[in-house]
Amino acid sequence: MQHGHALRAFADAAGSDEKVDAAYNAVVERFLAVTRKRITAEQEAGRIREDLDAEETARALVWPEERYLMRALAYEPAADPRRVADVLFTIWSSTLRAPFDPLPRRRDDDSSDLID
């Protein structure tokens, strides 16, 4: 990665300086906003499950990706960027397009018996 060392220094400094932390979080927030907007647009177009919470799904995808990209590309030996992109594509696609209901319920089930 061309600017891997600078990005790594920026991320490392964010842990010890409030201003750098705010700047770093602002950068990540832009990625979160774009991701959230795209998830919502894809939901409205019927290409992504409507039951996904766009805000939390964006956070759950972007923050781990930030760490993965840092480790994969900003440290030596760096991973092959094409392979990194393929891995991330697979993760995002299977998360966003999966027809999966983690808590299947019957239509008459109000789940009140789970609280006991």
Side-chain angles (χ1 to χ4, degrees):
M1 186 161 105
Q2 184 178 2
H3 302 289
H5 295 294
L7 181 59
R8 182 174 157 193
F10 186 35
D12 289 345
S16 60
D17 183 291
E18 287 183 24
K19 289 182 181 179
V20 176
D21 186 52
Y24 190 79
N25 283 322
V27 170
V28 176
E29 265 307 315
R30 287 194 301 236
F31 284 102
L32 287 169
V34 168
T35 303
R36 183 175 48 250
K37 184 177 179 181
R38 183 59 184 246
I39 290 170
T40 301
E42 293 292 303
Q43 286 174 317
E44 290 169 356
R47 291 185 289 265
I48 292 179
R49 297 175 12 216
E50 290 181 17
D51 64 324
L52 287 177
D53 180 308
E55 175 74 27
E56 289 306 312
T57 302
R59 288 179 192 280
L61 288 169
V62 169
W63 278 111
E65 178 182 316
E66 178 267 346
R67 290 280 69 183
Y68 172 66
L69 287 170
M70 186 70 62
R71 285 293 180 187
L73 301 174
Y75 288 83
E76 295 296 331
D80 175 4
R82 289 182 191 166
R83 188 170 191 172
V84 170
D86 286 345
V87 166
L88 290 173
F89 176 80
T90 300
I91 291 168
W92 282 57
S93 296
S94 38
T95 298
L96 296 174
R97 308 229 188 258
F100 175 73
D101 183 358
L103 296 173
R105 303 187 197 294
R106 299 184 316 261
R107 289 194 183 267
D108 62 338
D109 181 14
D110 67 4
S111 299
S112 59
D113 58 332
L114 296 176
I115 299 172
D116 294 335

